[in-house]
């Protein structure tokens, strides 16, 4: 499987699910007089729509970023990716729950679990690259590897804590999810660079070529 | 983020939302005898479908055109683009409102706000390029920049005035939106060229190369 | 607008609408005991689904074929193409009608009109190329042009006659539409070549290069 | 028809249908108090969703693999492919049946028939390549051809036997379908290679170039 074909397929799934979200915005058949109130009642659903749209957009940016660490795709990375796409494609369902039952525990828990599982993909991919370093790009230096693993563990721990919080204070937990989303979006924009055309590649050590190296040659990840 | 990948992703979202629109054409479960009348009652929905289809097609052409002004994508342009796609992906919802409540104020206002917000993207992008000229193409000359900004301000002002008009005369406002759409389509065809294969690039000064210049070199936009 | 980008966008719309069709297969909420009969009652809808799927597949092949006659896309061809995609994207609606009201006149008329209008696109494109020959490929020789126009006029006349027939004998007209679809599919397979890898290009005169010529040089279409 | 364009179109259909599946997860309009039980009742539908998602993902990998045996596409292969896509695109329908009527015979039979027919595509393609060896890649050696045909016959026989079993023990048959899916996924991962970047090409004889050979030259398949 060519890495580029897997990326094109994933981009397709991202583009479709992000666009399908709107179909879950169902307006009950009301008379025009009641339309204003119906639209107001749809506000939580529209907010959930916007949040999921931006989150899936963020996962798309993140996915693109993650694949700059990879030179080749094997059967395991392929299926890790398909399971990741399953979790992303599932998001319209908890998004619909959030819109229908605003401020309730179960939808927030469901939504949080979906985010958590989708997020675990990045961690699983990194850990697998540790065992199959010949698939990793030289850009994934040991320093960068540790930093990335740390970020994933911190974010996932926050997600987990927040899921717990949803049992007590669902509205607060939901607000924290939204705040985390905004933070991760801003962060993704900063990783992409502000005002510069630097492609979304991880920081590399000075003197290291930014061009993708051939697969031969020692991989820094294992030589650590 | 490669500019081409962002364009491919955006093209995907455009193609999906333009095709999803048809799913909002819901026919009530009637007997065959009542089908003719049901189809007639669906006429406003079918008109709204066609209008939104052509408008999204027009935004697709416009998006393609706008990205000829850009040489590189940074984190801000990326997220401006994702928010733009959110507004385009949302269009099936107000389109459905238009079809269900023809001739009423609220759907026209909703539809107009959606168009207005989507249109603001182009303005935001241009203004950001003013602050990050290193991302802009040399084709975006100061003259062209001013002309483009003027067009956006005029169109957005008309949209805004028309939204106001919808509170008084919703049918007239809707007709004006449709007329503006037709005008913008004809204009986009003329920008593309009639009878010529000129690619959809802005007019450039004589002697300027039509090939995308490398990112280095002085940018005309800032040297103004 | 790059010709290739327009083709990629059109391919996207074809792929989406062909896949969306299945969403119109709605099974009423029945108990398991009644499922068998419900599925039997869905048979017309499933047949209509399969017919539309194959017809849209055929239009995709035809669209690909038609664009081998074109070297460049101008504003008129672009909008002709967008209107064509509108008509293709609309097909799930009459397909749903066919499935819901099998053997009735109105759905067959609706379906036939959709096919007829979609088919007119090819004719309109050819006639426009006559007026803008600088956009046409040299492969579109005067002989080929006349043959293509003749095929379109014959097929569209049959469609029109068949729509008329639907007012008297809807089931017969529907059978003729299906038979025409099968014939057009077989024909498209033969144009593509059987057992040979000949790309889907029109027959060219002996000695003429099969490689797309540059846009300069005399165009055979006008020199007639 | 360029082979690559057919692959891109097929990838598009795969990406769309895999993402559409989620739309069949319909939650009845219940109060929040009943939501937990409603979600539990949706568990079979969610399982069917996940199974179909992974199976379609597997068909995507398989499709990619199958096209490494092909150098060129003619009219027959094109239409075989479109019919295959029809069968893949249809999968949301039996998936919905599985979710609505868990543990019943009819949905399992329907689902199994869909899988069986989709699987026959690979066999039909191989047998056609036997008659049109000029379309086959040199990688498809006689040894590989026999092995592939054997695999298809075994898998299809198991599918057929399992469909029969569904009339007696639908739950057992469903479990066997799921187990086969898991096995085929693991197998596809192994064909792709574990820990190696070997592209998903069939095993080739030592000394044979792994680069796609030009279409000229003797084809091993017929010289047998």
């Amino acid at each position: 499987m060519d890495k580029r074909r897997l990326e094109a397929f994933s981009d397709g799934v991202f583009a479709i699910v992000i666009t399908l979200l709107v179909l879950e915005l169902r307006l009950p058949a009301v008379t025009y007089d009641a339309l204003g109130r119906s639209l107001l009642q749809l506000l939580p659903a529209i907010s959930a729509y916007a949040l999921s749209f931006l989150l899936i957009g963020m996962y798309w940016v993140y996915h693109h970023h993650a694949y700059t660490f990879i030179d080749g795709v094997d059967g395991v990375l392929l299926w890790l990716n398909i399971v990741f796409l399953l979790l992303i494609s599932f998001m319209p369902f908890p998004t619909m729950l959030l819109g229908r039952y605003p401020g309730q525990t179960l939808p927030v828990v469901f939504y949080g679990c979906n985010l958590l599982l989708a997020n675990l993909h990045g961690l699983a991919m990194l850990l697998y690259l540790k065992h199959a370093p010949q698939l990793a790009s030289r850009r994934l230096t040991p320093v960068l590897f540790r930093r990335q693993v740390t970020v994933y563990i911190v974010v996932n721990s926050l997600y987990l804590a927040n899921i717990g919080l949803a049992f007590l204070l669902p509205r607060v937990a939901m607000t924290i999810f939204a705040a985390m989303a905004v933070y991760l979006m801003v962060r993704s924009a900063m990783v992409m660079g502000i005002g510069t055309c630097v492609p979304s590649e991880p920081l590399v050590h000075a003197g290291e070529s930014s061009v993708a190296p051939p697969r031969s040659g020692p991989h820094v990840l294992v030589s650590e």
Side-chain angles (χ1 to χ4, degrees), chain A residues 185-215:
Chain A
M185 280 169 228
V186 172
R187 195 175 169 276
S188 81
M190 278 159 61
V191 169
M192 291 276 301
I194 304 286
T196 56
C197 306
V198 178
S200 66
E201 289 167 9
L203 296 165
V204 287
H205 288 293
E208 202 175 298
S209 166
S210 73
V211 178
R215 269 170 219 165

Side-chain angles (χ1 to χ4, degrees), chain A residues 102-115:
Chain A
Q104 302 285 6
T105 291
L106 222 50
V108 182
V109 171
F110 222 86
Y111 197 78
C113 288
N114 200 341
L115 292 181

Side-chain angles (χ1 to χ4, degrees), chain A residues 1 3 12 14-15 19 34 37 74 78 100 137 140 153 160 165 167 176-177 183 205 209 217 223:
Chain A
M1 178 68 63
K3 171 189 159 187
F14 277 111
T19 320
R37 211 178 43 192
D74 73 344
L78 174 73
R100 264 207 223 170
S137 163
L140 186 58
I153 290 176
L160 201 59
L165 182 65
F167 285 97
I176 293 176
F177 275 130
Y183 168 74
H205 288 293
S209 166
S223 67

Side-chain angles (χ1 to χ4, degrees), chain A residues 1-14 60 63-70 73 81 85:
Chain A
M1 178 68 63
D2 186 12
K3 171 189 159 187
R4 227 164 288 171
R5 190 163 177 188
L6 183 61
E7 286 190 300
F9 184 74
S10 305
D11 275 17
V13 171
F14 277 111
W60 173 61
H63 186 267
H64 177 61
H65 184 68
Y67 268 75
T68 58
F69 299 146
I70 291 177
V73 176
N81 192 78
L85 293 178

Side-chain angles (χ1 to χ4, degrees), chain A residues 124-146:
Chain A
M125 201 173 96
L126 276 174
L127 295 178
Y128 181 66
L129 286 179
K130 187 84 177 178
H131 287 91
Q134 65 277 18
L135 300 172
S137 163
R138 280 180 68 193
R139 292 186 211 113
L140 186 58
T141 58
V143 172
L144 192 64
F145 177 83
R146 274 193 301 267

